[in-house]
Amino acid sequence: MGLRGSFPSSSSSWVAIILVLNVVVMCNGGKTSTFVRKVEKTVDMPLDSDVFQIPPGYNAPQQVHITQGDHFGKAVIVSWVTVDEPGSSTVIYWSENSKEKKHAEGKIHTYKFYNYTSGFIHHATIINLKFNTKYQYVVGIGHTPRQFWFITPPEVGPDVPYTFGLIGDLGQSFDSNKTLTHYELNPQKGKTVLFVGDLSYADNYPNHDNVRWDTWGRFVERSVAYQPWIWTAGNHELDFAPEIGETKPFKPYTHRYHVPYKASKSTAPFWYSIKRASAYIIVLSSYSAYGKYTPQYTWLEEELPKVNRAETPWLIVLTHSPWYNSYNYHYMEGETMRVMFEAWFVKYKVDVVFAGHVHAYERSERVSNIAYNVVNGICTPVRDQSAPVYITIGDGGNLEGLATKMTEPQPEYSAYREASFGHATFDIKNRTHAYYSWHRNHDGYAVEADSMWFFNRYWSPVDDSTNSQS
Ligand SMILES: [Fe+2]
């Protein structure tokens, strides 16, 4: 209910209104959804599931996936795996307008992990693409060619509409399949997925069975071969297993998923940035050092001042471990990174931070907690219109199951929380407005279980909190 009608003139009426507003503020711990999902165990899809099917034909390329290949959207990295022999690393591609066929040459990587040897992993970067153009591409030249397509983003600019999908902690369970299907059939039609970490969960299997990296690659191909997924590293990408002699963190992940980190002057593939349409996306790593003087810290310190909001109004950060999380799972795991970087996010007016890790959904109000200096005792989050909204979207459906236990009462900073699997979309309309919605797997494809109009923090920093919109 809003405050409408004529304003009262007497001071007693004002006191009454102020009292009412105070009660609203004090009682507002946000909403804990009453939606009750059927309690059932999350189970991985068996190896002979149709979604894991190996494409027929000798040395047929499999696990085809694409991501942005440069800083501003005119390049695409195409990756795939062949298993019988290395085969060709060439991508043949053409725009639907010109039909002139072009070639890009890739490179082949392999790796061993304990008793597993990978297939031949190809990565080829296509450069100098035209914006806003549909391209067909073919891999598997010489043996079993397979054809796919993608659409390049519009040229970077402040009022370019664009729709991102948000998926995290996907895994390869029956619930994961539902999440991906709901994303694909969502009428809002996401054009690029911002993936907030934890891909295959192969590390949950004996000896981190890397066969489950392959099955995951085949499972998600139906989406990621046709639209880029922007990768964030989660803890399940670490694959750190000294007990079986595997001591190099991120080995399978870095061999299989390439990102354009050098284009943003990053020195490692775990933190980097891209521009896409009207968004500037910064990817951070919860599992790489971020203390002062570390490469990630130094990079981010130099990166944030570079963001030109007149060119890319929407500043979005992806990281795996959430900073504001009121579930009892992974509680405060993001705290040390928050302590290091939160003041910068407020200073540079980040619009939204997406994280995963907690297997549930939560959206915060705009809050910050940056006043504490060890001795002053000021250590409570406060409403802050320069602060981002923090969204935990680790509800992709992996086999570890849902996080259902929450901190009670719901903290004031938490606007909405619910223990259901799902995905979200972030639909940028122009430089001032973006429409965000979260979709749970138990509903129909078009149903929005939670939503929010975002007002851009640089161009229109009005109060867009849940209170002000209700
Ligand atoms: Fe995680």
Side-chain angles (χ1 to χ4, degrees):
M1 195 178 76
L3 288 170
R4 292 213 178 93
S6 59
F7 284 93
S9 54
S10 76
S11 58
S12 61
S13 300
W14 278 113
V15 169
I17 284 180
I18 288 163
L19 281 174
V20 167
L21 285 175
N22 270 344
V23 169
V24 168
V25 170
M26 287 169 68
C27 291
N28 177 41
K31 183 176 173 190
T32 298
S33 172
T34 53
F35 182 86
V36 179
R37 72 186 293 278
K38 210 170 93 198
V39 179
E40 57 204 8
K41 193 170 164 14
T42 310
V43 182
D44 263 359
M45 295 181 282
L47 288 173
D48 60 358
S49 301
D50 56 353
V51 297
F52 298 147
Q53 225 164 38
I54 295 169
Y58 178 76
N59 213 30
Q62 56 168 274
Q63 307 173 48
V64 179
H65 55 94
I66 63 170
T67 195
Q68 185 163 317
D70 64 3
H71 201 227
F72 45 89
K74 286 186 81 170
V76 167
I77 302 172
V78 180
S79 308
W80 70 97
V81 176
T82 52
V83 294
D84 298 314
E85 60 173 283
S88 167
S89 266
T90 302
V91 182
I92 296 178
Y93 64 98
W94 63 95
S95 87
E96 289 211 328
N97 310 329
S98 83
K99 312 280 187 203
E100 182 203 345
K101 292 196 173 166
K102 296 183 176 171
H103 297 230
E105 283 305 316
K107 286 197 173 125
I108 297 174
H109 303 250
T110 60
Y111 73 92
K112 288 183 191 298
F113 192 96
Y114 187 54
N115 59 358
Y116 169 93
T117 302
S118 75
F120 304 98
I121 305 167
H122 304 248
H123 299 284
T125 305
I126 307 176
I127 58 171
N128 292 328
L129 296 164
K130 289 197 168 58
F131 286 119
N132 220 4
T133 302
K134 187 169 184 179
Y135 285 88
Q136 301 285 335
Y137 70 97
V138 175
V139 290
I141 311 299
H143 290 130
T144 303
R146 295 181 68 207
Q147 186 171 335
F148 305 88
W149 55 264
F150 58 79
I151 299 171
T152 51
E155 186 167 4
V156 171
D159 290 301
V160 181
Y162 202 75
T163 309
F164 292 99
L166 277 309
I167 300 177
D169 302 66
L170 187 56
Q172 44 194 304
S173 71
F174 289 98
D175 291 297
S176 321
N177 198 20
K178 277 186 202 146
T179 301
L180 188 55
T181 303
H182 273 243
Y183 172 62
E184 291 169 308
L185 298 178
N186 185 333
Q188 293 189 39
K189 292 269 171 266
K191 295 170 180 164
T192 293
V193 169
L194 305 179
F195 191 87
V196 292
D198 285 359
L199 286 64
S200 75
Y201 289 78
D203 60 345
N204 278 352
Y205 286 81
N207 301 320
H208 297 227
D209 187 358
N210 273 225
V211 167
R212 281 288 177 175
W213 272 106
D214 291 314
T215 53
W216 194 81
R218 296 199 291 273
F219 158 48
V220 295
E221 183 191 88
R222 70 185 200 235
S223 172
V224 70
Y226 299 92
Q227 63 171 254
W229 287 29
I230 307 304
W231 302 110
T232 310
N235 54 306
H236 287 276
E237 278 64 75
L238 277 162
D239 282 308
F240 177 66
E243 69 279 11
I244 51 173
E246 292 297 343
T247 55
K248 190 170 187 314
F250 301 111
K251 193 205 269 184
Y253 173 67
T254 50
H255 279 86
R256 292 168 181 273
Y257 294 91
H258 280 193
V259 298
Y261 66 97
K262 289 177 185 161
S264 54
K265 306 275 187 289
S266 167
T267 49
F270 313 112
W271 58 90
Y272 63 101
S273 70
I274 58 163
K275 299 177 198 175
R276 199 162 179 90
S278 44
Y280 200 102
I281 295 153
I282 292 178
V283 177
L284 296 179
S285 173
S286 303
Y287 306 100
S288 306
Y290 43 76
K292 197 161 183 179
Y293 315 119
T294 61
Q296 183 169 209
Y297 180 101
T298 308
W299 177 83
L300 185 61
E301 186 177 34
E302 290 170 7
E303 177 71 5
L304 284 165
K306 291 181 193 166
V307 181
N308 176 4
R309 304 294 276 275
E311 183 191 43
T312 49
W314 294 94
L315 180 50
I316 298 169
V317 174
L318 313 180
T319 191
H320 186 63
S321 190
W323 297 357
Y324 287 95
N325 155 40
S326 72
Y327 288 84
N328 293 350
Y329 301 77
H330 304 304
Y331 190 63
M332 288 183 78
E333 284 184 19
E335 186 66 4
T336 48
M337 185 188 255
R338 184 190 69 75
V339 169
M340 294 312 298
F341 293 153
E342 187 179 22
W344 291 351
F345 283 19
V346 174
K347 179 181 176 186
Y348 291 100
K349 301 184 191 303
V350 171
D351 289 293
V352 57
V353 178
F354 291 107
H357 201 37
V358 178
H359 301 154
Y361 172 71
E362 185 164 25
R363 174 173 57 81
S364 83
E365 299 288 8
R366 294 193 185 278
V367 289
S368 68
N369 189 2
I370 54 178
Y372 183 57
N373 71 352
V374 179
V375 293
N376 64 9
I378 306 172
C379 52
T380 305
V382 293
R383 294 293 175 101
D384 186 338
Q385 289 304 314
S386 293
V389 170
Y390 294 89
I391 292 175
T392 303
I393 186 93
D395 53 353
N398 67 80
L399 80 169
E400 291 174 344
L402 279 166
T404 51
K405 297 195 184 80
M406 307 171 187
T407 307
E408 300 292 355
Q410 185 168 10
E412 262 203 43
Y413 62 76
S414 174
Y416 185 99
R417 58 185 186 175
E418 179 178 324
S420 289
F421 291 127
H423 76 278
T425 57
F426 192 79
D427 186 12
I428 297 173
K429 306 291 187 188
N430 52 37
R431 74 182 67 193
T432 55
H433 287 71
Y435 186 71
Y436 166 81
S437 57
W438 174 67
H439 304 258
R440 66 165 85 86
N441 289 355
H442 283 250
D443 293 330
Y445 301 120
V447 176
E448 298 167 0
D450 180 42
S451 64
M452 172 178 167
W453 274 104
F454 274 74
F455 286 67
N456 186 270
R457 287 304 92 187
Y458 180 84
W459 288 100
S460 183
V462 297
D463 184 353
D464 58 4
S465 63
T466 300
N467 269 353
S468 74
Q469 293 185 9
S470 60

